[in-house]
Amino acid sequence: MSKPPLSRRTSMLAALTTLSLLGLSAVGPAQAVNFGGLNITPRGAQNLNLETGATDLPQGGTATDARSGMKLTAARMQIRPGQTLSAQDATITTRQGSTLHAAQVVYDLKGGTVVASGGATYRDSRFGGLGAPAMALYVKSGFVTAGGGIKAQSPALTASGMVFDPSTMQVLLTGPASVTQGSVRASAPAGGRLVLVFAGNRLLRAATPDNATLARFRPYLK
């Protein structure tokens, strides 16, 4: 087998030397790999940090969690096997049919939570144009939380905090909060609560939650 030209071999050697000095190793061209239950398909090279064991995907790729049905696509990723997956300019789709997008996403593999920050947006068949500074997705239960000032176009709502339970199609809002859709109009003062009940894709009613409802949401209230 013929050898590459000397100039090319010199360039390759220089690149490998640089990677070595940085504590990095080029894993190779894009191919599907498995990291602790996540099936990851990179768009480009995978750079392994020999000191930390972390892998950087500078051109991003797609990560799929077969257990939860969650899929993450990002412009760039960093993976610490068994610990975290960090991603930039990331879009997440869930088995329930929702979509979450944010500038920065950190998936805690042990805790089973995805924290999204940097202009996080959420969309499903019930919500349109829902945005907040930060959101969290609890992978096992499917619950979604948001905080820091929430606004949505459909239904038209504002709140300081939100917890969404996709299994019951109920949303708990923390006040000050207001919601309007069709004949449904409700509000809550600062520190107050509103529970939104959906029938399919339609907001059925909004009311002050009872103790049993609050108890179901309480583990996700900060």
Side-chain angles (χ1 to χ4, degrees), residues 8-19:
R8 185 180 173 189
R9 280 184 285 162
T10 302
S11 298
M12 291 171 62
L13 179 60
L16 290 172
T17 301
T18 301
L19 287 171

Side-chain angles (χ1 to χ4, degrees), residues 43-64:
R43 289 198 188 97
Q46 309 163 53
N47 298 329
L48 172 64
N49 189 312
L50 301 176
E51 295 181 356
T52 66
T55 298
D56 179 44
L57 277 56
Q59 294 175 278
T62 300
T64 304

Side-chain angles (χ1 to χ4, degrees), residues 13-206:
L13 179 60
L16 290 172
T17 301
T18 301
L19 287 171
S20 179
L21 290 172
L22 293 173
L24 301 175
S25 173
V27 177
Q31 57 182 337
V33 291
N34 187 282
F35 286 95
L38 292 178
N39 294 315
I40 298 176
T41 303
R43 289 198 188 97
Q46 309 163 53
N47 298 329
L48 172 64
N49 189 312
L50 301 176
E51 295 181 356
T52 66
T55 298
D56 179 44
L57 277 56
Q59 294 175 278
T62 300
T64 304
D65 188 333
R67 293 167 297 185
S68 66
M70 184 186 77
K71 180 180 178 181
L72 183 151
T73 303
R76 182 168 183 167
M77 293 185 194
Q78 302 81 39
I79 306 155
R80 296 181 66 88
Q83 299 181 49
T84 58
L85 183 155
S86 300
Q88 292 76 48
D89 189 12
T91 298
I92 295 170
T93 56
T94 70
R95 183 175 288 162
Q96 292 83 5
S98 60
T99 301
L100 174 64
H101 179 82
Q104 174 72 30
V105 164
V106 178
Y107 182 9
D108 180 346
L109 301 176
K110 292 181 179 179
T113 58
V114 177
V115 176
S117 59
T121 60
Y122 177 86
R123 184 181 74 252
D124 67 11
S125 58
R126 288 160 291 274
F127 288 103
L130 176 65
M135 296 185 184
L137 168 65
Y138 294 80
V139 176
K140 292 180 181 179
S141 66
F143 271 71
V144 177
T145 66
I150 301 155
K151 292 184 178 180
Q153 296 175 354
S154 176
L157 69 82
T158 60
S160 64
M162 182 193 86
V163 183
F164 175 43
D165 177 4
S167 65
T168 63
M169 292 189 294
Q170 292 186 356
V171 176
L172 185 71
L173 299 180
T174 299
S178 66
V179 60
T180 302
Q181 188 177 66
S183 60
V184 178
R185 296 174 181 269
S187 62
R193 311 281 192 189
L194 273 179
V195 61
L196 311 184
V197 180
F198 288 84
N201 302 335
R202 184 172 63 91
L203 179 59
L204 187 64
R205 64 179 184 275

